[in-house]
């Protein structure tokens, strides 16, 4: 059976495949804007406080599974 990969889009919860800036692989964030093949990802902390926003190529992100 073939696996179908979900195209990442705005509002998706994502996981970094690789380290990006100060954020290690495995960091969870949410896509707040999509610019073609680049996503603007918000990293939040306790209470939903924004810790950082980073630009990440879509091919360095995985959609987070529930």
């Amino acid at each position: 059976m073939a696996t179908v990969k979900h195209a990442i889009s705005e509002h998706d919860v994502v996981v970094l495949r690789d380290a990006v800036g100060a954020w290690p692989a495995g960091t969870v964030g949410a896509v707040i804007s999509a610019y073609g093949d680049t996503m603007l990802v918000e990293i939040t902390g306790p209470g939903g406080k924004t810790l950082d926003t980073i630009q990440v190529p879509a091919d360095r992100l995985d959609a987070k599974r529930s």
Side-chain angles (χ1 to χ4, degrees):
M1 178 182 232
T3 302
V4 176
K5 187 170 179 173
H6 169 74
I8 295 172
S9 59
E10 289 183 10
H11 309 292
D12 284 347
V13 177
V14 293
V15 179
L16 300 180
R17 286 187 186 174
D18 307 302
V20 176
W23 302 102
T27 298
V28 176
V31 176
I32 56 175
S33 292
Y35 304 99
D37 292 333
T38 301
M39 306 292 164
L40 184 61
V41 177
E42 178 182 46
I43 309 296
T44 59
K49 180 179 177 180
T50 299
L51 301 176
D52 202 358
T53 53
I54 55 176
Q55 290 184 28
V56 185
D59 64 357
R60 295 179 64 190
L61 296 169
D62 286 319
K64 186 172 184 326
R65 297 176 190 235
S66 309

